[in-house]
Amino acid sequence: MTLRGGFGYSWVLLLACYFLIVLAAKPKMPGHTHLNSIRIDGDISLGGLFPVHARGNDGKACGELKKEKGIHRLEAMLFALDRINNDNELLPNITLGARILDTCSRDTHALEQSLTFVQALIEKDSTDVKCLSGGPPIITKPERVVGVIGASASSVSIMVANILRLFKIPQVSYASTAPELSDNTRYDFFSRVVPPDTYQAQAMVDIVKAMRWNYVSTVASEGNYGESGVDAFIQKSREDGGLCISQSVKIPREPRVGEFDKIIRRLSENPNARVVIIFANEDDIRRLLQAAKKANQTGHFIWVGSDSWGSKIAPILNQEEMAEGAVTILPKRQSIKGFDRYFISRTLENNRRNIWFAEFWENNFQCKLSRHAVKKGSGIKKCTNHERIGKDSSYEQEGKVQFVIDAVYAMAHALHNMHKDLCPGKVGLCSKMETINGTLLLKYIRNVNFSGIAGTPVVFNMNGDAPGRYEIYQYQIKNNTTEYKIIGHWTDQLHLDTEEMQWPGGTQEVPSSICSQPCRAGQRKKTVKGIPCCWHCENCDNYQYQADTYTCKMCRFDLRPNENHTGCVPIPIVKLEWSSPWAVIPVLIAVLGIMATLFVVVTFIRYNDTPIVKASGRELSYVLLTGIFLCYATTFLMISTPDVVICSLRRIFLGLGMSISYAALLTKTNRIYRIFEQGKMSVSAPRFISPASQLVITFSLISVQLLGVCIWFGVDPSQAIIDYEDQRTANPEMARGVLKCDISDLSLICLLGYGMLLMVTCTVYAIKTRGVPETFNEAKPIGFTMYTTCIVWLAFIPIFFGTSQSAEKMYIQTTTLTISVSLSASVSLGMLYMPKVYVVLFHPEQNVPKRKRSLKAVVTAATMSNKFNPKGGLRPNGEAKSELCESLETQVLASKQTYISYSNHAI
């Protein structure tokens, strides 16, 4: 039963009042003895509460004897009383007596027993008459208990404390550690020489964290000690963070059959939570280990036990392998050698004051004192009274012996200080201490400060708590020998020697008890709702990097995640290299084109005054060849490393070459068209057909392109940029930043658009002049040139824009553009000039002047020849054409002349 809140406190008061009424109304019977208590006479009596027996079953109040937790502690109080009474410096001439009771490890039984302490305060008849063996009556006054040493279990101390405070009887516990007892408003007369479980819980949290465990289960015995201890542990774990509880199990006060098996099954539900925090009494620990052994869980669970386990042998007896590796905690203490000498010297003869010692003797030596109790074949012998503790039986001092002695001494020092103040210079008790004021005694208890039996200071804080000092133990098995080995200590902070630790199976590797394995580098934790220690690991995908344990963030636009996604690194910058296959072919075409263009230019210059060159229209031919040269040269600008200069030159010359070429061709086709259309109607020459006029028209068309580029420069100055989106692939490893000029696809189309417009217009004129005989003009070669060029650029558009999403976009588009421009120039060069160069170089006999005729005659002859001989003139090199061209070159006549010379003009 857990006593919490006003209801629990009221229940205790009602129960106490009931027992007090029954006790007061109970008639005093002659020869009445306290069969469950030890009485030692003295000037001042102290009460003592010890769990001499375990909790009984089947309706019995008490169970089996507790050798260590019961008898050792009880004898420690007797040992301390002997030392104090024999000490001439402490309470001189004042003898301490005692009334020691057995709590039977049950709070309700302890409450009933502890009413003995207040008997003298509530009975009107304060005498006790005893008649022993028919002798004369012995009249004694019942002792008045001024203070109580105990109890052991926190639930018992809480129950008793609620009664003792009503009668203002101070209480000093040697083992109760429940945090609830630190409440000075409810347990104001309670003090303890052991630290509260809040310190113990903090120490256990520190142990768990030092072992890098973050997922544990808890087991608590029902009652204040177990439940408050686990509550404190959970509270401390939440304050520190990083620790989660898998299962929190409570052992009932009266467990049913199979209850512990059920608990083990619950603890096994999550195999990752191997560590079990135990705040349970000794009996529950033993039965829990038995259930785990029965479930074949040896070596699976790692137990972390509170001071109720400590370094005791009883809980792990005959199940040592199940407890191997258990880490336990115990208030820092030392083995008291003086007590060892005292205890091993105890016999049935010299220890008759302890009414339970005979039972201990039988239990310790596995014998029976009564001959009638020995049954044949039972294997139990009769005690000889010659057995000796530590010689004929194992002996190890119980862990709380030091604190029992310190508790008794704390009470003695408080009484000593009180005596010095109330009875100065008086030997023995004075009248002021005939009736001791409990409130005043409590004040002296809280103010004591002395070195305890082990040399450690004994002090109390304002709540009656002792400072936290713990030793950390681990139960180890080495070479078939077992021991509780000290592996560290805790005083405000943990000091742990992990090298001395050993885990089940003799391994040094710390077992794991975590909910989820740590995430790998580049993964973030996605915690399970409500369980911060459990998580799923999620990869930081694509361009994300692990910003912290729980967050993935996107890398900056110019960065990509490193190999393990723990940070970002710069994205590599790429450009079209001269050695790349994507650049080699366009460069080869451009080099060959430039060489061919220069060859044509040199040939034309060499044969500048021959009829063929003249007939080609020298001025426009040189302009056209310049445009062709620039188209080839553009390839080198497109492949060069982008910077401000290169990008500016790209803007200028990428469209300029095409504009120059097609402006010259458009001027030429327009002139042919106008000449023949004018010749059909009159003999007068069309306007603006002179070389100067043609150049003006050509450069006017070219200037439109240059004007557009200049406006573009003014609105948006040229610059080189790094485009990180162009090759931002799904796989960051393949991502690249593209160094390029700030010319978008749309800007590129606008840049080439004017040249394409000239090309289309020129094609239209070529179609219109397709009826003119090929023997008389260049319309058909120009027409074939334009048709082929249109096909080239029609193929360019789907290739260029169809690869806009490709990872190789930069290479494909640059290569496609440069090759298309070079092919356009090659078509013009091959179809318009290569035949002329061939005639000039290899058939010079055809490159001769012809007689001149009037424009009207030449045009009429050409027209009539086309009508009657569709195959055209059979004269070498197109005689009519030569005549027309040559007649145009003789002179430039006025507009009213009947014919015109065509020198230096080309159709």
Side-chain angles (χ1 to χ4, degrees):
M1 180 184 301
T2 302
L3 300 178
R4 290 194 177 101
F7 176 77
Y9 180 62
S10 301
W11 185 90
V12 172
L13 292 180
L14 290 174
L15 184 62
C17 290
Y18 169 78
F19 281 121
L20 290 173
I21 293 171
V22 171
L23 186 62
K26 188 175 180 180
K28 295 294 294 180
M29 298 297 295
H32 174 75
T33 60
H34 297 277
L35 298 179
N36 289 322
S37 67
I38 297 174
R39 176 171 175 175
I40 300 174
D41 294 329
D43 299 322
I44 300 175
S45 290
L46 301 179
L49 294 172
F50 295 93
V52 179
H53 292 87
R55 183 187 304 139
N57 298 318
D58 301 327
K60 296 181 179 179
C62 302
E64 61 184 9
L65 182 78
K66 288 187 173 184
K67 295 193 298 181
E68 298 171 344
K69 200 173 182 181
I71 298 299
H72 282 208
R73 295 180 181 180
L74 186 153
E75 288 292 340
M77 181 173 179
L78 298 178
F79 169 75
L81 291 174
D82 290 346
R83 281 174 54 93
I84 294 169
N85 289 333
N86 292 325
D87 189 341
N88 295 325
E89 299 296 329
L90 185 62
L91 291 175
N93 297 315
I94 299 176
T95 303
L96 289 180
R99 172 71 70 130
I100 301 175
L101 306 175
D102 179 10
T103 65
C104 292
S105 306
R106 188 188 299 269
D107 52 3
T108 54
H109 182 77
L111 177 63
E112 182 181 357
Q113 292 293 304
S114 62
L115 294 177
T116 305
F117 298 146
V118 298
Q119 179 181 357
L121 298 174
I122 60 175
E123 290 183 352
K124 293 181 179 180
D125 183 5
S126 60
T127 59
D128 189 6
V129 180
K130 297 181 180 179
C131 296
L132 299 177
S133 302
I138 301 174
I139 301 174
T140 60
K141 289 185 178 181
E143 78 281 10
R144 186 176 185 273
V145 174
V146 299
V148 174
I149 306 300
S152 177
S154 295
S155 57
V156 174
S157 289
I158 288 174
M159 188 75 78
V160 173
N162 282 298
I163 295 299
L164 297 180
R165 73 183 298 268
L166 295 177
F167 298 94
K168 295 181 172 52
I169 299 177
Q171 175 184 2
V172 180
S173 174
Y174 49 83
S176 299
T177 57
E180 186 177 350
L181 289 165
S182 297
D183 186 354
N184 203 36
T185 61
R186 294 178 56 192
Y187 307 102
D188 46 345
F189 280 80
F190 178 84
S191 305
R192 49 187 162 187
V193 292
V194 289
D197 285 337
T198 49
Y199 297 134
Q200 183 174 201
Q202 183 64 63
M204 296 174 79
V205 168
D206 291 347
I207 293 171
V208 169
K209 296 182 72 174
M211 294 293 100
R212 300 183 184 276
W213 297 324
N214 69 0
Y215 201 43
V216 301
S217 298
T218 64
V219 176
S221 292
E222 183 178 6
N224 291 86
Y225 172 77
E227 294 180 68
S228 298
V230 165
D231 288 345
F233 177 85
I234 294 175
Q235 180 63 30
K236 292 294 183 182
S237 66
R238 287 174 180 170
E239 291 174 0
D240 289 6
L243 186 59
C244 299
I245 308 301
S246 171
Q247 300 280 352
S248 191
V249 184
K250 182 168 65 175
I251 301 174
R253 193 182 301 273
E254 301 290 343
R256 298 186 297 271
V257 177
E259 186 70 37
F260 288 92
D261 296 331
K262 180 181 178 182
I263 291 174
I264 292 298
R265 284 195 298 270
R266 282 193 60 185
L267 296 176
S268 303
E269 288 178 0
N270 193 333
N272 289 338
R274 295 180 60 187
V275 173
V276 181
I277 309 298
I278 300 180
F279 277 87
N281 59 55
E282 183 179 322
D283 298 330
D284 289 342
I285 294 172
R286 175 175 51 81
R287 296 170 71 178
L288 185 66
L289 295 179
Q290 288 176 348
K293 185 176 182 180
K294 180 181 176 182
N296 197 26
Q297 294 290 343
T298 302
H300 174 71
F301 291 115
I302 304 298
W303 314 100
V304 178
S306 63
D307 60 343
S308 61
W309 183 334
S311 59
K312 297 185 182 71
I313 299 299
I316 60 173
L317 192 62
N318 299 323
Q319 44 197 13
E320 289 80 5
E321 292 182 357
M322 194 66 240
E324 183 181 8
V327 178
T328 61
I329 189 170
L330 197 63
K332 191 172 184 179
R333 47 109 178 167
Q334 293 182 6
S335 181
I336 310 304
K337 294 182 179 179
F339 176 79
D340 289 339
R341 292 190 296 270
Y342 164 82
F343 191 78
I344 62 176
S345 66
R346 298 298 90 189
T347 65
L348 293 173
E349 297 297 330
N350 62 18
N351 200 24
R352 294 183 180 275
R353 62 183 177 178
N354 186 346
I355 64 172
W356 297 288
F357 196 73
E359 184 180 356
F360 164 80
W361 195 271
E362 291 181 335
N363 187 292
N364 190 54
F365 296 109
Q366 298 295 309
C367 62
K368 290 294 182 180
L369 292 172
S370 173
R371 182 183 301 273
H372 301 288
V374 178
K375 298 181 180 178
K376 293 183 179 180
S378 63
I380 299 177
K381 60 183 179 180
K382 184 179 183 301
C383 300
T384 64
N385 204 19
H386 295 296
E387 297 88 357
R388 291 296 178 263
I389 299 171
K391 181 179 179 181
D392 299 313
S393 66
S394 61
Y395 165 75
E396 183 177 357
Q397 188 178 125
E398 199 273 334
K400 292 292 196 306
V401 164
Q402 170 192 336
F403 301 106
V404 174
I405 298 172
D406 285 345
V408 176
Y409 265 87
M411 194 71 74
H413 276 281
L415 289 169
H416 179 80
N417 295 334
M418 185 179 183
H419 180 267
K420 286 197 303 181
D421 293 341
L422 297 182
C423 308
K426 180 76 167 75
V427 177
L429 292 177
C430 64
S431 58
K432 291 183 179 180
M433 291 188 66
E434 286 291 336
T435 303
I436 295 178
N437 187 315
T439 303
L440 183 60
L441 177 60
L442 175 66
K443 178 182 176 181
Y444 281 99
I445 291 175
R446 295 288 173 87
N447 290 328
V448 298
N449 188 343
F450 65 95
S451 294
I453 188 71
T456 56
V458 177
V459 293
F460 300 100
N461 64 14
M462 60 181 298
N463 295 321
D465 295 329
R469 292 185 294 265
Y470 296 96
E471 286 182 323
I472 315 299
Y473 294 81
Q474 187 182 41
Y475 188 71
Q476 299 180 355
I477 301 177
K478 292 183 180 179
N479 301 323
N480 295 324
T481 60
T482 63
E483 66 169 333
Y484 282 101
K485 187 170 185 177
I486 297 177
I487 57 172
H489 64 276
W490 189 94
T491 305
D492 294 330
Q493 60 182 357
L494 179 66
H495 301 275
L496 200 62
D497 187 359
T498 55
E499 294 182 358
E500 294 293 329
M501 303 182 77
Q502 179 178 297
W503 304 100
T507 180
Q508 295 289 326
E509 183 180 356
V510 179
S512 172
S513 183
I514 57 178
C515 181
S516 302
Q517 293 296 326
C519 293
R520 298 191 303 272
Q523 292 182 327
R524 76 177 185 94
K525 293 180 180 179
K526 184 178 181 181
T527 56
V528 177
K529 187 175 181 180
I531 312 177
C533 301
C534 300
W535 58 78
H536 304 295
C537 295
E538 292 185 348
N539 292 324
C540 294
D541 294 326
N542 299 326
Y543 288 85
Q544 295 179 332
Y545 72 98
Q546 184 183 358
D548 54 43
T549 305
Y550 301 96
T551 309
C552 290
K553 291 184 178 180
M554 292 293 294
C555 288
R556 208 173 60 202
F557 71 95
D558 59 338
L559 303 175
R560 68 180 183 184
N562 56 18
E563 185 176 357
N564 56 12
H565 287 256
T566 56
C568 296
V569 296
I571 295 177
I573 309 302
V574 297
K575 61 183 181 62
L576 187 58
E577 302 290 345
W578 291 100
S579 59
S580 170
W582 296 99
V584 170
I585 296 176
V587 168
L588 180 61
I589 296 173
V591 169
L592 293 176
I594 289 173
M595 292 173 62
T597 303
L598 293 176
F599 178 74
V600 172
V601 171
V602 170
T603 302
F604 267 47
I605 293 174
R606 172 68 179 80
Y607 298 96
N608 190 56
D609 293 327
T610 60
I612 292 295
V613 176
K614 291 180 179 180
S616 299
R618 288 174 296 186
E619 292 78 4
L620 288 182
S621 291
Y622 290 132
V623 172
L624 178 58
L625 288 170
T626 300
I628 292 173
F629 176 83
L630 290 178
C631 287
Y632 287 125
T634 301
T635 297
F636 297 94
L637 293 175
M638 297 301 295
I639 297 176
S640 297
T641 301
D643 55 28
V644 174
V645 175
I646 293 298
C647 292
S648 299
L649 293 176
R650 282 187 189 181
R651 284 193 184 184
I652 296 171
F653 291 106
L654 182 59
L656 185 61
M658 292 179 60
S659 297
I660 292 173
S661 299
Y662 297 127
L665 284 175
L666 177 59
T667 303
K668 183 177 286 192
T669 54
N670 175 265
R671 182 170 180 265
I672 294 171
Y673 174 76
R674 288 189 295 115
I675 287 175
F676 278 94
E677 287 296 318
Q678 182 72 17
K680 292 177 183 180
M681 295 181 292
S682 73
V683 296
S684 62
R687 299 173 61 188
F688 307 118
I689 61 174
S690 64
S693 300
Q694 296 298 294
L695 289 175
V696 170
I697 294 172
T698 300
F699 285 115
S700 296
L701 294 174
I702 295 171
S703 65
V704 175
Q705 173 77 23
L706 292 174
L707 180 61
V709 171
C710 290
I711 294 174
W712 189 6
F713 273 119
V715 174
D716 182 16
S718 182
Q719 61 179 343
I721 62 171
I722 301 175
D723 187 355
Y724 292 99
E725 296 297 329
D726 194 33
Q727 292 193 27
R728 193 176 182 86
T729 58
N731 181 7
E733 291 295 323
M734 304 302 295
R736 298 292 185 271
V738 179
L739 178 61
K740 64 179 185 179
C741 295
D742 60 337
I743 302 177
S744 64
D745 293 347
L746 180 60
S747 299
L748 182 64
I749 294 302
C750 294
L751 188 63
L752 299 176
Y754 181 67
M756 292 181 179
L757 176 63
L758 296 176
M759 178 184 68
V760 172
T761 306
C762 188
T763 303
V764 171
Y765 275 108
I767 294 173
K768 287 184 176 184
T769 58
R770 69 184 183 281
V772 177
E774 63 180 3
T775 54
F776 296 101
N777 61 82
E778 289 183 301
K780 281 188 169 42
I782 293 174
F784 286 129
T785 298
M786 301 316 300
Y787 305 151
T788 306
T789 303
C790 288
I791 292 173
V792 170
W793 286 100
L794 287 174
F796 161 79
I797 292 174
I799 294 175
F800 186 86
F801 291 100
T803 58
S804 60
Q805 302 300 322
S806 171
E808 305 292 333
K809 172 185 175 182
M810 175 187 68
Y811 306 107
I812 296 175
Q813 290 188 343
T814 302
T815 302
T816 302
L817 177 61
T818 54
I819 289 179
S820 296
V821 173
S822 295
L823 286 178
S824 300
S826 299
V827 168
S828 300
L829 186 65
M831 289 189 175
L832 296 178
Y833 293 102
M834 286 306 171
K836 295 179 176 61
V837 172
Y838 175 76
V839 171
V840 170
L841 295 179
F842 299 105
H843 294 282
E845 70 279 3
Q846 297 181 11
N847 190 14
V848 294
K850 303 298 180 181
R851 61 185 179 90
K852 301 181 178 66
R853 290 184 291 178
S854 66
L855 175 64
K856 180 68 175 178
V858 173
V859 172
T860 302
T863 304
M864 295 304 292
S865 174
N866 187 46
K867 289 179 179 180
F868 295 106
N869 188 7
K871 293 184 179 180
L874 300 177
R875 287 180 290 179
N877 197 31
E879 187 175 327
K881 173 184 175 183
S882 297
E883 291 179 19
L884 178 61
C885 294
E886 290 172 3
S887 64
L888 289 171
E889 289 181 348
T890 56
Q891 56 181 345
V892 180
L893 301 177
S895 59
K896 292 184 179 181
Q897 290 180 309
T898 58
Y899 70 93
I900 184 170
S901 174
Y902 283 83
S903 61
N904 299 323
H905 291 268
I907 299 174

